[in-house]
């Protein structure tokens, strides 16, 4: 079974386990690439007898498939999975601007659908989290669980659950009609939510929260006793 990384212990991590495709007998080729075979290393000319049909297939770098607009064959191992796992773990456990600026692409979009769809761009989302949520909730934590596997549309599924204790500054969600919420001293644990995260070119391009009541920034506000305008 696939390894599921999680920043806290909650039941959803079990649902994220996925089968691992067999990668037996696949090794990294050290021979120069002739370009005659799409992605498969050939033995250099003059290097000995031709291999038999049962010879081990050696895998080179399949990045060029992406450049051609082609998908990686399903029987091959996911070479970028470890990097995505590290990136997702950093993103969901870091609340400083420098890290978030590094991990989110300049054109990143974060879509929150609780209770109404709202789309944040990179700067808006970082502003809400680092300048409003974290100062109001110093121990804010975004527990997460994922195996960093891509689905057929190129998204990773991540289950998250926000927790915290409102002991800091009053909470305000900029860009909304929600009134500033004075420090409540309340603790909260939100509903688990499922996120679809797209990672391309070494950065997060999109985060989309599937419709979940009581999650996201709006869910935090409500959990602390705030009243969300019906028009929001």
């Amino acid at each position: 079974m696939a390894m599921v990384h999680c920043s806290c212990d909650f039941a959803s991590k079990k649902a994220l386990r996925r089968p691992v495709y067999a990668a037996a007998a696949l090794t990294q080729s050290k021979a120069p690439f002739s370009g005659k075979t799409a992605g498969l290393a050939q033995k250099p000319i003059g290097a000995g007898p031709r291999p038999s049909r049962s010879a081990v297939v050696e895998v080179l770098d399949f990045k060029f498939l992406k450049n051609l607009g082609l998908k990686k064959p399903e029987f091959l191992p996911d070479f970028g999975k470890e990097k995505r796992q590290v990136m997702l773990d950093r993103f969901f456990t870091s609340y400083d601007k420098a890290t978030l600026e590094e991990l989110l692409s300049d054109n990143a979009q974060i879509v929150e659908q609780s209770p109404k769809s709202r789309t944040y761009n990179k700067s808006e989302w970082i502003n809400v989290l680092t300048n409003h949520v974290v100062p109001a909730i110093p121990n804010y934590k975004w527990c997460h669980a994922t195996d960093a596997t891509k689905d057929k549309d190129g998204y990773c599924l991540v289950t998250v659950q926000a927790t915290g204790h409102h002991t800091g500054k009053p909470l305000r969600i900029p860009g909304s009609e929600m009134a500033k919420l004075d420090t409540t001293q309340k603790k909260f644990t939100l509903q688990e939510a499922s996120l679809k995260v797209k990672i391309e070119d070494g950065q997060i391009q999109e985060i989309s929260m599937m419709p979940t009541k009581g999650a996201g920034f709006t869910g935090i506000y409500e959990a602390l006793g705030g009243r969300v305008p019906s028009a929001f």
Side-chain angles (χ1 to χ4, degrees), residues 187-198:
K187 296 180 180 180
F188 66 88
T189 298
L190 299 189
Q191 295 290 325
E192 294 177 13
S194 295
L195 307 181
K196 293 177 66 177
V197 183
K198 176 166 283 189

Side-chain angles (χ1 to χ4, degrees), residues 4 16 18 57 59 82 138 169 177 224:
V4 177
L16 295 176
R18 306 184 185 193
V57 177
V59 182
E82 288 187 12
K169 297 181 178 180
E177 297 180 1
L224 295 177

Side-chain angles (χ1 to χ4, degrees), residues 95 129 133-134 137-142 162-165 188 217 220:
Y95 310 106
L129 180 63
V133 173
V134 173
I137 308 164
N139 69 337
Y140 176 78
K141 188 175 182 180
W142 215 3
T163 64
H165 190 185
F188 66 88
F217 293 143
I220 295 174

Side-chain angles (χ1 to χ4, degrees), residues 41-143:
Q42 293 182 334
K43 201 167 185 179
I45 297 175
R50 296 183 62 179
S52 66
R53 292 184 179 181
S54 61
V56 174
V57 177
E58 296 182 341
V59 182
L60 270 175
D61 184 2
F62 278 80
K63 184 176 180 181
F64 77 95
L65 288 176
K66 178 181 176 183
N67 296 334
L68 293 175
L70 302 175
K71 292 186 177 181
K72 176 181 70 63
E74 291 187 1
F75 66 86
L76 291 175
D78 189 347
F79 296 110
K81 184 175 180 177
E82 288 187 12
K83 291 182 179 180
R84 292 197 302 274
Q85 186 72 70
V86 171
M87 181 178 296
L88 290 169
D89 288 345
R90 286 185 64 201
F91 181 80
F92 287 103
T93 56
S94 301
Y95 310 106
D96 62 280
K97 290 182 180 179
T99 301
L100 298 174
E101 287 277 359
E102 173 194 345
L103 298 179
L104 289 169
S105 73
D106 290 341
N107 297 319
Q109 290 190 327
I110 297 88
V111 182
E112 180 179 303
Q113 301 186 51
S114 174
K116 183 179 178 181
S117 179
R118 181 180 180 185
T119 300
Y120 297 87
N121 61 30
K122 176 179 180 177
S123 61
E124 290 171 339
W125 192 84
I126 292 178
N127 175 50
V128 175
L129 180 63
T130 62
N131 293 333
H132 297 274
V133 173
V134 173
I137 308 164
N139 69 337
Y140 176 78
K141 188 175 182 180
W142 215 3
C143 300

Side-chain angles (χ1 to χ4, degrees), residues 183-211:
T183 304
T184 63
Q185 300 298 330
K186 289 184 177 181
K187 296 180 180 180
F188 66 88
T189 298
L190 299 189
Q191 295 290 325
E192 294 177 13
S194 295
L195 307 181
K196 293 177 66 177
V197 183
K198 176 166 283 189
I199 299 175
E200 289 181 348
D201 302 322
Q203 288 185 303
I204 295 173
Q205 306 292 334
E206 180 185 340
I207 300 175
S208 181
M209 177 186 291
M210 300 180 190

